[in-house]
Structures are given as structure tokens and as C-alpha cells.
Amino acid sequence: MKLRRRETVSLQLVTVLGAAALLFPFLWMISASLQTLQEVEAFPPIWIPEVPQWTNYVEAVVNYNIGRALLNSAIVTTVSVAGQLIVCSLGAYAFSRLRFPGRDAIFLLFLATMMIPHYVTIIPLYTMVWSAGLIDTYPALIFPGLFSPFGTFLLRQFFNQIPISLDEATLIDGGNHWHIYLYVIMPLSRAGLGALGIFSFLGIWNTLFWPVLVINSKELFTLPLALAMAQGQFITLIHIQMAGSVIACVPVIVVFLMLQKQFISSIALSGMKQ
Amino acid sequence: MATGQKAQTVSAPWSILRPRRRRHKDLYVALLFLAPSLLGLFLLQVLPIGTALVLGVSEWNIIDPIKFVGLKNFVEVATDATFYHTLENTLYITAGLEVLNTLLGLCAALLLKNAMRGIDLYRTIYFLPLITTWAAVAIAWRYMYSLEGPINALLGPLGIDPIPWLSRPEWAMPAVIITITWKTLSWKTIILLAGLQSIPNEFYEASSIDGASRWQQFWKITLPLLSPALFFALIIGIINTLQLFDPIFIMTDGGPADSTRTLSYYIYTRGFQNLRMGYAAALSWVLFAIILLFTLVQWVLQKRWVFYQ
Amino acid sequence: MTDHSLSRRHFLQGSALVAGGALMAACAPVAGEPGAAAADEGGSMSEEPIELVAQYWGTRPEFIEDREILAKRMTEKFPNVTASQNSVPGGQYGEKVLTAIAAGTPPDTMQLNHRWEPFFRGQEALLNVIPFADADAEFSFDVFYPRIIELGTTEGQLVTVPRGWNPFVIYYNRALFAEAGLDDLPTSWENDTWNWDSFLETAQALTADSDGDGRTDVYGMFFPYWYPFLRLGGGDVLSDDQQSSGLDSPEALAALQWLADLRLTHKVSPTPAEIEGLGSAQDLFTAGRVAMFTAGAWGIGALTRVEGLDWDVGPLPRAAGQPPVGYTQYYGHGIPKGTQSAEWSWEYLKVISDEESNITVAQTIGDVPAMRHIADSEYFAGLPKPPTRQVFIDSAPHMQVWPTIAPITEIMSRAITPELNLAFLGEKSVEDAVAAAGPQVDEILAGFWGN
């Protein structure tokens, strides 16, 4: 689809304007991470620190153990996201491609579980993890991230967009459901898998409430717990917190850049599928 | 025929993986594919939620034993003024957020779909709000809304007096909706963008040859083929927004004068602050019923507008 | 009702076991039942190895370091004990402790303050520490400020061994005072020339529109907390018998009206709309836009960091015909019921509240230590000025605290604050707000006393 030059320019302009509006708190976060506490608290906000305080980053890493927290978060998030992608894609395949009694009912049950505020389910869940002797361990952090009704639903939607005719082609070649899942559905659903990967990565990366309950040792603090260390009841060291936040953002941006390639590549693939 | 039967016996372990036409034959394959999900569903959802169901008909202060009280909690919900007030707030936020997010998310996805120069950079920028920590977002937006801040500065030339956005009950809700839209817009954008990318280019090329205008293409190709993604984004968006809690907690703490307190926040308060877990569970079930109703209505209506290939 | 009730622990564990089934039970050791160590009770303390956990809120590195030192000292004192500390962000403290109690694994000691003490005591989730103190020759309550012990004791029960306290004072900007031609604030709490009238006059003298644009640039005062003024004026949120709302007493109404007038009539205190986006009271004070504000001793730590700010503290002003009120919030630690061994919890509690720990409160944390002789020593009173630290200590004879009734947080957050905020916004008259809050307060109280 070719765009006319005038259209291209105006589209670009709109995109830039939108981007500028979306960018400023992020820029402020970076700027604040290089300010003194007094500068951070000034009003109206200071956008360019007088002398960039690179020591904020040193302090965040040294005093607030951001390095260790980064490692913990990386382990927990990677395992959870990988597990979630596998579990959800298998489940979504069943809902999208298989016919079995009670399919829609079970699917609605999946959906229904998303509709209960998790505050009332947190105590039973905690008791379960405690009974299993998993308090203050990595598995306690990973376990709840392995399955997601949301992820199953998301992938099912993407799987549904892939023409059934491709399944039939595989069957004619003597393949079975496992082949369809592995060689047809998964490669063609990179956009969906990429999107789910980003969402679940982000969700698990930022979660604070659950780690607070199941983690006691400082050595197992995840990033949100470590960032909360800069927060006092009356004084919050915002500049340190922002430095830590910037560090915490870097892996997420890297993951986004990696996964958004999946969106792009899906154009090429979708061209092939008809 | 004999060889066929033999082959089937040999490949017995795999044979169930072979697709069948008949409906119930897929059951065993489905169980294989669903097994991890069902285990997760049971452990992480059904069991804790089942416990919560029992709590709904109980009185429990978390510390003393659970006491069964029948439907007392639900009777109390029916006459609880704060319940109605927070439900109203919740519906207000949901309506505002879903409309803004869906329209703007669609616009952003359409913009970012184009292969213009520097698209990777733009996509990343559009994604940044989602990863900027709420702490930074809250501080930056507090400045945006301040009396001498940028938003009031823009309104000044239009002859509008500075608005104290976050400290007046009538303005706090629009302010909250705008900020949360800003923060979560890219969530919808990602879903819709991924959906757009799954639409084969051939459709557009074919219709261009037929002389269709861009506008016609949008209505005849883009929207129908994007409808499963839109449907998904709406369903999930509404399910999540009806349970909105964290952003309110961070930005306004429910104020001023409870004008932004959501039902989910109220449930949390009753459970963990007033130690009425049973009542909180009952409220949760009412909220569940409301969300389920919204979802079922959408589910039924999807036949009218969602187009599956 | 016992026949209709079910132990929540067994109920939850039962469901958890059904859930986990063989899968999780098989791959993990079953955690010890907290009741198993009950044999300790009454008997002498065993030398068996034991792990103790102290629960705190706040995760600032200096706090965590302090608590790790306390744990280390406990382990040094008793070689069979492995002591550790749990610190969670302040916002999640309630959830953390409640979830642990629900699972049957309460911490061995837990931090308490004006908010959490009534909350957990009201649920009868804390042990009375007096019997432990009486039986312990090493320990005496006499070293603490007697008012703290007195205020913490209800019906012969004391659940908190105090560690520090936070008297509320007036923080003031000396440079702005000098500009307005005002003297420094007095330092004596008994001085009756420092009263609500002179406070208002001072605030009026300080309030200024320095650039002449018709908008106030410096406000005389800011009150992030209305409760201390309610007490100064002789009122309280509850009636004396704690059966109903006390906000409709003449004293309470007058105090609240006076506060509302500061903002709405005299305009010496900003409305939320006027300072939209400008940050907390402390931010406004640091920026020189507010000349006086009220806060506890935690303000010391925050303001000391600000370079070039000339400030000090003075007592809370007295209301006409009322005695001085030194409103304060104390904090300390207690023993949850159902710990593995109450005796060991008590030993840990003693380390957490001892003299050395009080010195840390004075020097590192910056609050006033609960032990009088440490507060009076060079560790606190002798630290460099500002502030005039004697002002904090001198409030001790007039010490008053937040109501100790169990549902006080619910009463404040659900019934009173939303209504009073409307009054302070000028949306409602004080009388209407109080009249609207009253029945809600009474309803919560009725529910509480009825049970």
C-alpha cells in the first residue's frame, strides 16, 4: 500500500506529536534520576539538573541492592513468562482448534476467574504456598505466573485468525495436532505470542503485592521491593527511586524491542498464509 | 484395510493426536493440551476462589475462626450506601477509560502500523508509558494538573479559569481517567497493532485494484478483520477496569471526598483494613456478577460484529 | 457459636492440601505447626535451637541495618537462637501480618503504633506483656516515660513495649519570621501567651502576596493533621464513654470551626485547590511557601537535609481555657498470640526495646527515645540544633494520644475524614459535616460494642 507524500508527512507529524505527549513523564523520570533530592522536590519541576548526579545510580546499586534485585527479577520473570507462553498456547490451541464437549463452558470458566478481585483470594493462595513449604523461595514467586486465563484468551483470539485451511494442509501431509500446533499455529502467531510476552513480562516484573507476602529475605527481593526501600513513611528519596526505576526499565525496553520484531515479522508471514 | 489397522495399533500413543471429525473424539487430545492449564486453573484460581465463595457467607476477621452467617453479608450489601457510591464511580471510570482507550488505541495502532521512517523508535516511545513507574507518572501528572501547570496554561487562552483538577470532587474523576488512559493506552495499542499485522496485505492490494478508497478499506477490511482483537481488547479492558485499584490508590487515594474511590478499593478496605473478610468476599461476588453480566452481554453481541475467518 | 465455627487454619490448610495434593506436599517438607512448641509454656526455656522472626514496616536501608543489628545481638545473647527480621513497605504491613496470622504462622514479635496497636489489640491478637515484665528481674517499665505506659494500658493490659515517640510540634521558618518582623516562637508548653489568638495573628503576619499579583505566595500555616487541634481545643472524635461520636461537643465544634476559618475566612492556610500539585506540607515548607506546619519528630530528619533552610520548632499553641496538649504518636513492639514460644518472643522484644536500641532511635532514626534517660542524654537532647530538641521532650507531661479503641481507623477513614474534608473544602458547614459523620461513627461503634 503506497502512501502519497503529503499523507506520509502529515501522518509522521501526528505520530511525533503523539509521541511527545507520551514521552514527558519518562523524560522526567530520567532527569529526576540525575538530580539532587532538593532539585527533585522543587516546583515547578527542574528539567535539566545543574550537575548530573551520576552517584544516584551508584547509590541505588550499592545501598539498595538493585543489582541483586535485577538478577532475582530476571530469573523469576524469565521462567514465569516462558512457562506462561507454553501453558497458555497449549490451552489456547485446544480452545481454538479442538472440538470437545463442554469447551465453551470451560472457556467461560477461564474467563470467570478473571472477574474476582484478587484481594479475597490472596490468603488461600498464601496458605497453599506456605503449606508446600515454599515461603521465601523462588518457586513461590514463579508459581502464580505460570498460568494466566488472560494469556489463554489472548492467544485463542490470535489462533482463531489463522485459516483452518492451513491445518487441513498439514493433515493431508500426514501431520497430527501436535504438528499443527508446533509448525502452523505457533509460527503464525508470533504477533500474539509477542504481545502476551510483553504483557506478562511487564506484569510479573512490576508486581509488588505478592512478593511482599511471600518473600522475607533481602537476598530474594525483586525490583519493586528494592525500589520501595527508597520510600519512607515521611521522606521518599525520589531521586534514588527514579535512578532505580530507570535501571529497572532498561530490561523491559530491551524485551520490547526484541518482541516487537515479532509484530513486524508477522507481516511477512501473513502474506504467505493465504 | 488390514495394513491400515495395523498402522493404527503401532502408532497408538500418537493416534489420539490425529484430528477427527467427530466431536467427542477430540476430547482426549484436548485433555492433553489443556492439562497444564487446568492444573494452573485449579491451583491458582478455582481453589482460592472457592474459598472466597465460602467466605462470602461467613464472618471472618482473619484472626478468629470463620463463622457461617448465611446470606447476612449480601443483605448488608443491598443497603450499603458506600457500595452504591463506589459502584457508580467504578462504572464512570470504566465508561470513560474504555471509550478513550479504544478510540485512541485504535488511532495509535493505525499510525504505528505504517512502515514510516524511524517506526521502531516511535513504537518504543508509544510503549514507554506502560513501563514508566507509577511513582514517576503520579509526580509528573501532579505537575501537569497543577494550577500553573501545562494543562491549565493551555486552557487559559480558551478563556477557561485554572481548574484545580485533583482537589475538587467534580474534576478529580476526569483527571484520573485522563492519566490512566495515558498510562494504559499502549496496552490496547499493542493488542490492536498485533491484530492489524495479522491482516494479509493482499486484501488491501486487491481492493485497491478494485478502486476502493482508504475510508472504504478501513470499514470493509480493517475493521472486520480487526474485530476479534477489538472484541478481546474490550472484554479484557472492561473486566480489568471494573476491578481498578492500584492507580487510584497511588494517585488520589480515593479522594477528594471519596469521589474517585472504586468498588475494588472499597473491597480492599473492608477486607484488610476493617477486617471484614467475609463482607469483602460478598462484595467481591457482587462485583463478579456485575462483570460477568457485562461480559455475557458482550459475548452474545459479538455474533453481530465480530468476524472470524 | 463454636459449633458453627471452623478453625480458619484447618479450613484453609485443608483446602490448600486438597489443592496441592500429593504434588506439592510430596516435594516439600510440611512446615511445623506453631502449636508444637506449646510445651515451652510454663516450663523453663529450652536450649533447643529456635528461629525467631521480628516483623517491621519500612524498608529504608538504614532501618533494615538497625534491625539486622538487633537480630545479631539477640543471636549473640542466646546462641541457640537464630534471630532474623522481616521488613515490608509501610503500605503492605497489615496485609503481611494478617496473611501470616491467617496461615497460622505469626511473626514472633511485631511492630506497633497508634494505628496498628488498637487494630490488633481489638482483635485480641496480641499478648499482654505485663505478666512477662513482672516475672522478669532484668526488666522494668520504670525507665520509660510513665505517660506512654499509662496511655498504652487499658483494663490492666499493655501490649506494646515502647521504643520511640513522635511529639507533634510547630515547625517554623525563621527567615520568614524575621522578614515579617516576628520573634522566634517560645519554647515552653505552659506559656499561655502562645495561644490560638497569637497563633492566628502570627499566621496573618506571615501570609503575604509578595509579587502583588493578587495570589498568596506565602501562607502563614498549613495543617496536614486536624486531629491535634481538635485535642488542643478540648474536643475529641468520640464521647468520653466511647459509645458515640464526640464531634458535636461545643469544644469539638469550636475547634473544627476555627480550623476551617483559618483556611476559608482568614485565608492563612491554603486550600487543597490553591496548592494543587505543589506537594506535601513539608515540600511547601521547604520551598518557603508555608511558614509554619505541624508534624511529629520525623520532620527533623527531613528538614535537616535541606541546605540553607533556617528553621526551628515551637510548642503547639494552647486554646483559650484549655490546658497544654502534647499530642504524640508512640511506637514499639508486641507479641502476637500463637507464636511458637511466647517466652522467646519476650526475650527478643527485650533486645528490640533495650537501651542500646533507644540510642539508635535517637541518633539514627531521629525520633524521641521511649526511655527518658536516653531522651534527656546527649544522644538526643544534646544533638546539634536546629531544632531546639528540648521542645519535644518538654511535651511529655502533657502527652495525649490518638484514641485507642479498636475500630478507630475505620471510624476516622470511613466516617469522619471524608465529611470533614468537605467542611475544610468549604463544600459543607462544619455543623453539617459533623451531623453527617455522627450517625456513621455511632453505627461503627454500635457494631463494635454489640459484638
Side-chain angles (χ1 to χ4, degrees), chain A residues 37 43 130 132 212-213 216 235, chain C residues 13 28 86 96 105 278 305:
Chain A
L37 183 55
F43 188 89
W130 173 78
V212 161
L213 295 184
N216 300 326
I235 316 156
Chain C
Q13 280 174 2
N86 265 356
K96 174 85 180 181
T105 53
L278 297 187
R305 288 190 342 257

Side-chain angles (χ1 to χ4, degrees), chain A residues 159-174:
Chain A
F159 292 179
N160 277 353
Q161 279 183 299
I162 299 169
I164 298 277
S165 57
L166 294 181
D167 301 23
E168 281 151 7
T170 312
L171 292 179
I172 291 166
D173 295 345

Side-chain angles (χ1 to χ4, degrees), chain C residues 326-358:
Chain C
Y327 174 67
T328 194
Q329 295 170 349
Y330 65 80
Y331 61 90
H333 298 81
I335 308 173
K337 278 187 183 164
T339 58
Q340 40 181 338
S341 157
E343 279 74 16
W344 279 117
S345 292
W346 170 250
E347 289 300 332
Y348 200 178
L349 194 55
K350 271 161 61 188
V351 171
I352 292 172
S353 332
D354 69 5
E355 200 166 279
E356 218 174 310
S357 138
N358 269 257

Side-chain angles (χ1 to χ4, degrees), chain B residues 14 29 35 48 50 69 83 99 116 126 136 162 176 205 207 272 277-278 306:
Chain B
W14 317 106
V29 196
V69 294
F83 161 71
V99 169
M116 65 176 86
Y126 273 73
V176 163
E205 282 155 14
S207 74
F272 278 103
M277 241 340 150
V306 181

Side-chain angles (χ1 to χ4, degrees), chain C residues 93-349:
Chain C
Y93 183 73
E95 290 90 320
K96 174 85 180 181
V97 176
L98 287 167
T99 314
I101 291 178
T105 53
D108 295 286
T109 72
M110 60 183 283
Q111 199 172 354
L112 295 166
N113 65 357
H114 66 290
R115 163 138 194 242
W116 296 113
E117 183 192 87
F119 185 81
F120 284 104
R121 177 169 56 195
Q123 306 302 329
E124 298 181 354
L126 296 165
L127 289 178
N128 182 7
V129 293
I130 293 176
F132 292 94
D134 289 347
D136 194 327
E138 274 180 33
F139 185 89
S140 164
F141 281 121
D142 297 343
V143 290
F144 299 105
Y145 279 95
R147 271 297 275 172
I148 298 182
I149 304 301
E150 189 188 321
L151 289 164
T153 310
T154 40
E155 294 164 6
Q157 303 244 329
L158 180 70
V159 293
T160 309
V161 177
R163 188 177 175 197
W165 54 297
N166 266 304
F168 275 57
V169 296
I170 304 275
Y171 287 82
Y172 67 99
N173 184 323
R174 290 187 72 223
L176 290 176
F177 267 58
E179 252 173 60
L182 296 166
D183 292 335
D184 283 353
L185 290 187
T187 55
S188 161
W189 288 78
E190 290 80 17
N191 181 344
D192 60 8
T193 59
W194 180 231
N195 54 35
W196 283 17
D197 293 335
S198 54
F199 178 74
L200 176 57
E201 281 162 25
T202 309
Q204 279 169 328
L206 289 159
T207 303
D209 170 15
S210 38
D211 56 10
D213 67 351
R215 261 197 238 158
T216 306
D217 300 298
V218 179
Y219 288 92
M221 69 89 61
F222 188 59
F223 59 100
Y225 308 90
W226 49 265
Y227 184 75
F229 288 94
L230 181 65
R231 295 299 296 272
L232 282 164
D236 205 342
V237 289
L238 302 179
S239 62
D240 288 341
D241 61 3
Q242 301 198 321
Q243 298 288 336
S244 59
S245 164
L247 290 174
D248 50 1
S249 75
E251 292 85 2
L253 278 172
L256 295 173
Q257 187 63 54
W258 183 74
L259 271 181
D261 287 347
L262 285 182
R263 237 189 216 173
L264 305 170
T265 310
H266 305 297
K267 301 190 188 299
V268 296
S269 182
T271 64
E274 285 162 341
I275 49 159
E276 175 90 48
L278 297 187
S280 67
Q282 205 171 283
D283 297 336
L284 289 162
F285 184 78
T286 313
R289 297 188 73 150
V290 155
M292 298 187 281
F293 80 108
T294 45
W298 62 78
I300 303 174
L303 297 180
T304 307
R305 288 190 342 257
V306 185
E307 283 165 39
L309 184 69
D310 186 10
W311 60 284
D312 207 341
V313 295
L316 298 177
R318 291 174 62 174
Q322 295 292 336
V325 172
Y327 174 67
T328 194
Q329 295 170 349
Y330 65 80
Y331 61 90
H333 298 81
I335 308 173
K337 278 187 183 164
T339 58
Q340 40 181 338
S341 157
E343 279 74 16
W344 279 117
S345 292
W346 170 250
E347 289 300 332
Y348 200 178
L349 194 55

Side-chain angles (χ1 to χ4, degrees), chain C residues 42-66:
Chain C
S44 62
M45 287 168 60
S46 73
E47 298 298 313
E48 298 280 303
I50 185 166
E51 286 180 26
L52 299 176
V53 178
Q55 181 67 54
Y56 305 85
W57 65 77
T59 51
R60 292 277 294 280
E62 60 266 35
F63 295 165
I64 292 186
E65 198 192 331
D66 160 50

Side-chain angles (χ1 to χ4, degrees), chain A residues 77 81 196-207 252 255, chain B residues 127 130-132 183 187 190:
Chain A
T77 313
V81 171
L196 177 58
I198 288 169
F199 292 143
S200 59
F201 189 95
L202 207 57
I204 298 166
W205 193 255
N206 287 336
T207 184
V252 190
V255 167
Chain B
F127 174 67
L130 210 52
I131 62 168
T132 310
K183 178 86 166 86
W187 191 92
I190 289 174

